[in-house]
Amino acid sequence: MMYRVISNTGFRRTWILPIITIWLSVCIYHLPSPIQPKPYFYPKPLPRLEGTLAINTHLQNASRAFQGRVTGPESFAVDGDGVLYTGLADGRIVGFKGGELWEVTRTGELHPDCGSFDLEPVCGRPKGMKVNTADPSQPLIVLDSYRGLLQVDTKSGAIQVLLHSSTGVNGEPLKFLNALDISKDGIVYFTDSSRKWDRRNYRYEVIEVNPHGRLIMYNTVTKETRLLLDGLYLANGVALSPDESMLFISEMSACQIRRYFLKGERTGQSDVIVQNLPGYPDNIKLNSRGNFYVGLGSVRYQGVSLLGPFLDLIGPYPAIKRFLTKITPLRVFDIFMPKHSIILEISSNGDIVTSLHDHGARVISASGEGFEFNNTLYIGSFWTPYIGMLNLTLVRPLQ
């Protein structure tokens, strides 16, 4: 009878990998997760890119302005002299007209590393902005994600804090200030995207799908602040209807747009006017046709990938979300973003009138906002190093 002798070295080699795997699994299991999500189910079926959503190349007709001189020009405003303004990732507010671009002011401190993740709250992050035409001095009203609601003198660069984030509303501080619109009588309507996460950590907010966003108003005349709407899913873009009877609010993480009534029998009420969008709605801007341009931060539709949209897939499974956020750096989640830029044109009734595409993101790599002025569509995103410019005469005859 023959016996096989197994050495101690062979035994150790056989068992070392399973032991390490079990040990790592136990360690990861006991690591605290940064998020505590609940199951979330996105609407089905997924949208199809057909009809007014059919893929086209309209955004590929755009040009890139000031490439390398700006980073993160997400939202735009224009004054009576035709000067456009935008806020950048390093805390600057810049003005531009024609081929000229200049710094107007900074919403935070100047530091060599401004624009980095760690210093964003220190350097500032100007987001939504608009000129207050109700004020004779025509100041630029700006939301800084961290500092609060600001009034900017575009000539001198002087900043006045109208509402500090620490003051907040109803005794609760503001956490993640995002977008605004201003009525003809000087009332500012703005969004606070999350009670839990600040702007730097927006990816956690998107993955968790929390109803922690708010719609707030600030009266520039009376200085009154009031909470209008609570329980919003990453409240993002906001825009007044042409007659200022309604507000439209992007609920980014839920892929829907909500309508809030300011006048009439339904004053103070809200409803979802469009849902199951083919992407995650960012900023909303009124255009010259009385409709709204809605930038999509990323996309979700039938055929977007072999498995389907990443967030749709993991939405019902909190344990998977917790596990992924334990082991994955925040920026790695960007690999799940398909290369497809879309700006929608939506009517006041919630109908998708047209869509502008760059499938493959060849020219416009991201489209968080489409802002129309003087027959040009200015396209911005929170991370792109340029301002997109699209001559609408090249597009509208085709639509």
Side-chain angles (χ1 to χ4, degrees), residues 91-145:
R92 287 182 295 157
I93 296 173
V94 295
F96 62 98
K97 187 175 183 180
E100 186 181 0
L101 180 138
W102 62 93
E103 180 178 324
V104 174
T105 192
R106 288 179 173 271
T107 59
E109 299 177 17
L110 174 61
H111 189 279
D113 294 327
C114 278
S116 67
F117 180 91
D118 291 335
L119 284 180
E120 189 171 280
V122 175
C123 298
R125 186 44 168 118
K127 297 270 282 180
M129 56 183 63
K130 189 174 183 179
V131 172
N132 182 12
T133 57
D135 188 322
S137 64
Q138 307 280 292
L140 182 67
I141 307 298
V142 178
L143 273 181
D144 182 275
S145 286

Side-chain angles (χ1 to χ4, degrees), residues 341-360:
S341 295
I342 303 178
I343 295 177
L344 304 177
E345 185 178 4
I346 296 178
S347 73
S348 296
N349 297 321
D351 299 320
I352 298 176
V353 179
T354 58
S355 58
L356 310 174
H357 297 250
D358 184 348
H359 188 244

Side-chain angles (χ1 to χ4, degrees), residues 66 75-86 93-104 129-131 138-140 153-155 371-374 378 387:
F66 309 115
S75 188
F76 303 96
V78 65
D79 67 16
D81 296 324
V83 176
L84 289 115
Y85 302 94
T86 190
I93 296 173
V94 295
F96 62 98
K97 187 175 183 180
E100 186 181 0
L101 180 138
W102 62 93
E103 180 178 324
V104 174
M129 56 183 63
K130 189 174 183 179
V131 172
Q138 307 280 292
L140 182 67
D153 184 325
T154 56
K155 300 293 188 285
F371 178 83
E372 181 184 349
F373 173 68
N374 199 21
Y378 295 88
I387 295 170

Side-chain angles (χ1 to χ4, degrees), residues 125-386:
R125 186 44 168 118
K127 297 270 282 180
M129 56 183 63
K130 189 174 183 179
V131 172
N132 182 12
T133 57
D135 188 322
S137 64
Q138 307 280 292
L140 182 67
I141 307 298
V142 178
L143 273 181
D144 182 275
S145 286
Y146 303 92
R147 190 174 178 187
L149 184 65
L150 314 176
Q151 180 170 289
V152 176
D153 184 325
T154 56
K155 300 293 188 285
S156 67
I159 294 177
Q160 176 187 352
V161 179
L162 299 178
L163 177 65
H164 200 283
S165 290
S166 60
T167 302
V169 60
N170 296 340
E172 185 175 2
L174 305 170
K175 187 77 172 181
F176 180 176
L177 292 172
N178 204 323
L180 63 76
D181 201 355
I182 308 176
S183 68
K184 294 181 178 67
D185 53 359
I187 297 177
V188 183
Y189 299 96
F190 64 94
T191 53
D192 185 20
S193 293
S194 174
R195 281 186 165 90
K196 183 175 182 180
W197 300 106
D198 63 14
R199 201 219 71 86
R200 294 178 300 170
N201 294 291
Y202 74 92
R203 294 177 182 88
Y204 285 147
E205 184 63 47
V206 170
I207 293 169
E208 272 191 312
V209 196
N210 295 317
H212 292 167
R214 296 178 287 177
L215 173 68
I216 302 164
M217 61 145 283
Y218 176 85
N219 191 316
T220 58
V221 178
T222 66
K223 314 304 180 187
E224 175 195 6
T225 306
R226 185 152 54 95
L227 176 65
L228 298 180
L229 202 56
D230 206 345
L232 301 175
Y233 287 93
L234 210 167
N236 203 317
V238 60
L240 284 155
S241 62
D243 63 359
E244 300 192 346
S245 65
M246 294 178 288
L247 283 167
F248 296 85
I249 310 106
S250 297
E251 293 187 84
M252 190 175 196
S253 59
C255 300
Q256 64 188 23
I257 295 175
R258 184 172 294 275
R259 174 175 57 179
Y260 179 83
F261 293 88
L262 295 168
K263 299 175 183 177
E265 295 180 356
R266 299 184 63 185
T267 298
Q269 298 179 19
S270 77
D271 60 12
V272 175
I273 191 171
V274 56
Q275 59 182 348
N276 198 23
L277 287 166
Y280 307 87
D282 201 329
N283 290 337
I284 305 179
K285 293 292 183 177
L286 185 66
N287 68 15
S288 62
R289 306 203 292 189
N291 297 322
F292 301 90
Y293 282 125
V294 180
L296 299 183
S298 186
V299 295
R300 57 178 290 277
Y301 52 80
Q302 290 199 31
V304 71
S305 71
L306 291 176
L307 296 177
F310 175 68
L311 293 178
D312 282 65
L313 290 171
I314 67 172
Y317 308 108
I320 293 177
K321 291 184 176 184
R322 290 195 298 269
F323 174 77
L324 288 174
T325 52
K326 288 180 185 181
I327 65 171
T328 310
L330 273 177
R331 291 187 178 277
V332 173
F333 286 104
D334 290 350
I335 67 174
F336 298 109
M337 295 175 61
K339 293 181 182 296
H340 190 165
S341 295
I342 303 178
I343 295 177
L344 304 177
E345 185 178 4
I346 296 178
S347 73
S348 296
N349 297 321
D351 299 320
I352 298 176
V353 179
T354 58
S355 58
L356 310 174
H357 297 250
D358 184 348
H359 188 244
R362 293 178 175 86
V363 177
I364 300 298
S365 48
S367 49
E369 174 169 306
F371 178 83
E372 181 184 349
F373 173 68
N374 199 21
N375 208 36
T376 298
L377 189 66
Y378 295 88
I379 304 162
S381 170
F382 70 94
W383 61 270
T384 51
Y386 56 84

